[in-house]
Amino acid sequence: MGTPSLSPWAVLVLSLLLVGLWSPCVLSRQPNFIVILADDMGWGDLGANWAETKETPHLDQLAAEGTRFVDFHSAASTCSPSRASLLTGRLGLRTGVTHNFAITSLGGLPLNETTLAEVLRGAGYSTGAIGKWHLGHHGRHHPNFRGFDFYFGIPYSHDMGCTDSPGYDLPPCPPCPRRATPARVARKGCYTEVALPLFENVTIVQQPVELGSLARRYAEEAARFIQRASDSGRPFFLYLALHGEWSQPGPPVPPTPGRGVYGASLSEMDALVGRIKELADSLGKGSTLLWFTGDNGPWAQKCELAGRLGPFVGAWQRQRGGSSAKQTTWEGGHRVPALVYWPGRVPARRTSHALLSILDIFPTLVALAGAALPPHRSFDGLDVSPVLLGWSDVGHKVLLHPNSGAAGKVGEIEALRLAQYKAFYTTGGAMACDGSTGPAERHRPPLIFNLDRDIQEQEPLDVASREYQAVLPAISRAYAQALQDIAADNTSVADYSQDPAAIPCCNVQHVGCRCHGAQGALGSSWEPHVEKRTPWLCL
């Protein structure tokens, strides 16, 4: 008895069904995307990663209902380069963003670099950014000119301006001046004369910002943005960038037992993430992908205000002095918490060991949106949607770790990962809590650690060992190929020039740039959609 044949129409229908079942990029509708980026959060600051941490119940629930990535890395160990890589999928040597921008910076992320928001907006998305920007605020470097329909937040780090009620910080910083006085004594690490601004789109709505109510206001603005996008019938992309001391939360956030001020800040951030998850679920579970991660590891010189490294202590460096966290290429500097939540698509209660990076967010979301990557440039990130959806646990074979301030020329690649092996051509320690730093050392041949056996990076392989000699040629080839690829790419140059005229200032006639029209509205009852505003533009 012969096998029954299928009609051409049946073959076509069956083929379409199979494509729909197996392609991660063929979706019934474009999903919403929420990317939450925490600043200076240690791998061990997530309770799901580190049992000693008790302040993250909402994030831990997110891990239980989604997938936790335990080998996930920032693209740099400091703010601006890491954020540039998230929004472009490219390393700092390609984008030109190799170190942080200042309050006086004229430039920012180069305008010829295409952001994730620009691609998604072109694909029909409503785009919003809330929180810390730090990719340039002057002129067309402002988020509203980089693909975001809506922006509400602070244009750089929260410690880059004074406030009336300074939060907790090391060193402790004085409040903003309220009247003209003789020049105050400069305080190292403190901005004493210019107040920290809060923007809504291109308008400064409060200067200095009130830190104590900032988390609540971020949640309110996120809810409004999501509601507006939902009402429009368009999918949305929300980029929510939360600051790391979050941000010196100030007296309204009382210290908690055990971890004090930092623990209170962590709890406040966790509660905000929980609120964002509720908003996402309210749209219908499965309609929104939420991706949580960090921009770099803890800032060790902040002492008790710094986060937890977990097991990634960089023991080899610690023995020689300095910190092995933020600004370094040790694991504690760039291995960060990462969670993805997408009910019905991303498996729940799963732990992935795939080698992934913040660089992967750009190409993955572009693919899931059904959009195309910008042409005429190379990308360091991968479309890792098969990993997110649980079909694979294979990420990068090679991952590059640029210098981020502790040692070597900033932005240069002198550390890399190949499978379980980590190679260092340059090492150094950032400033530690005690004020010490570790000397920069060059290594030819490189130091190589096997992270499968030595997650603390304590004992490099013996150069005479069979293991070292077996892996060195592969590392050398991968390193050379990566540098050649970057050299041949269409790279950009960032403008790091500075001018005091670039400082955001709502009224140059007032001490500390105070917003005179908002003087009566600086309390916790201030409502951004009720108050009559003066349109102070800083372009």
Side-chain angles (χ1 to χ4, degrees), residues 235-275:
F236 67 83
F237 165 50
L238 174 60
Y239 170 49
L240 178 60
L242 308 176
H243 194 273
E245 297 88 73
W246 292 292
S247 146
Q248 321 157 22
V253 181
T256 57
R259 295 191 70 186
V261 171
Y262 186 83
S265 300
L266 194 58
S267 295
E268 182 180 51
M269 186 273 298
D270 179 73
L272 177 55
V273 173
R275 174 61 182 141

Side-chain angles (χ1 to χ4, degrees), residues 171-187:
C173 293
C176 289
R178 287 189 173 273
R179 57 184 62 86
T181 58
R184 295 193 289 180
V185 177
R187 300 281 297 276

Side-chain angles (χ1 to χ4, degrees), residues 280-296:
D281 287 342
S282 71
L283 302 174
K285 287 199 173 185
S287 65
T288 303
L289 182 156
L290 192 158
W291 198 324
F292 175 91
T293 188
D295 71 335
N296 48 246

Side-chain angles (χ1 to χ4, degrees), residues 36-324:
I36 303 178
L37 186 70
D39 185 281
D40 296 352
M41 184 177 181
W43 189 92
D45 283 327
L46 176 65
N49 282 347
W50 199 243
E52 294 177 22
T53 297
K54 307 297 183 184
E55 296 90 353
T56 60
H58 296 95
L59 282 167
D60 297 342
Q61 185 62 32
L62 205 66
E65 297 180 23
T67 294
R68 178 171 62 105
F69 298 90
V70 295
D71 202 354
F72 193 96
H73 300 262
S74 61
S77 297
T78 193
C79 303
S80 295
S82 181
R83 291 158 199 275
S85 291
L86 186 157
L87 290 175
T88 64
R90 288 155 56 84
L91 286 166
L93 280 184
R94 301 187 197 270
T95 67
V97 181
T98 57
H99 53 290
N100 290 341
F101 294 104
I103 67 171
T104 52
S105 287
L106 291 170
L109 176 65
L111 300 179
N112 60 307
E113 290 289 329
T114 304
T115 70
L116 176 58
E118 289 169 325
V119 175
L120 293 178
R121 187 163 69 177
Y125 278 71
S126 294
T127 56
I130 295 175
K132 175 180 173 179
W133 176 241
H134 215 172
L135 289 174
H137 52 273
H138 185 67
R140 301 192 67 82
H141 295 288
H142 183 281
N144 282 139
F145 298 99
R146 305 316 308 269
F148 289 101
D149 301 320
F150 173 74
Y151 175 63
F152 185 87
I154 295 172
Y156 29 69
S157 288
H158 295 193
D159 56 359
M160 294 171 68
C162 63
T163 55
D164 284 338
S165 298
Y168 302 98
D169 199 3
L170 287 176
C173 293
C176 289
R178 287 189 173 273
R179 57 184 62 86
T181 58
R184 295 193 289 180
V185 177
R187 300 281 297 276
K188 184 178 180 182
C190 295
Y191 291 72
T192 58
E193 300 302 327
V194 178
L196 191 66
L198 178 67
F199 277 77
E200 181 170 347
N201 295 319
V202 297
T203 304
I204 297 178
V205 294
Q206 195 180 39
Q207 191 171 12
V209 63
E210 181 191 311
L211 294 177
S213 62
L214 199 55
R216 173 181 59 79
R217 286 154 69 178
Y218 281 175
E220 291 170 354
E221 293 298 333
R224 290 189 183 101
F225 170 78
I226 290 172
Q227 188 60 56
R228 288 194 300 268
S230 179
D231 292 344
S232 74
R234 298 168 62 192
F236 67 83
F237 165 50
L238 174 60
Y239 170 49
L240 178 60
L242 308 176
H243 194 273
E245 297 88 73
W246 292 292
S247 146
Q248 321 157 22
V253 181
T256 57
R259 295 191 70 186
V261 171
Y262 186 83
S265 300
L266 194 58
S267 295
E268 182 180 51
M269 186 273 298
D270 179 73
L272 177 55
V273 173
R275 174 61 182 141
I276 299 301
K277 177 181 178 291
E278 289 178 1
L279 292 171
D281 287 342
S282 71
L283 302 174
K285 287 199 173 185
S287 65
T288 303
L289 182 156
L290 192 158
W291 198 324
F292 175 91
T293 188
D295 71 335
N296 48 246
W299 200 357
Q301 72 185 66
K302 297 294 184 179
C303 302
E304 67 268 21
L305 301 182
R308 282 188 167 127
L309 292 169
F312 306 105
V313 297
W316 188 93
Q317 182 60 56
R318 283 196 174 183
Q319 293 165 5
R320 289 156 179 80
S323 158
S324 57

Side-chain angles (χ1 to χ4, degrees), residues 492-535:
S492 302
V493 177
D495 177 8
Y496 277 97
S497 63
Q498 298 186 34
D499 187 330
I503 297 174
C505 184
C506 64
N507 194 326
V508 295
Q509 302 301 318
H510 293 163
V511 175
C513 291
R514 286 186 180 275
C515 291
H516 181 70
Q519 282 293 310
L522 293 179
S524 60
S525 62
W526 182 80
E527 171 52 58
H529 288 273
V530 173
E531 182 203 12
K532 181 179 179 181
R533 300 173 185 160
T534 303

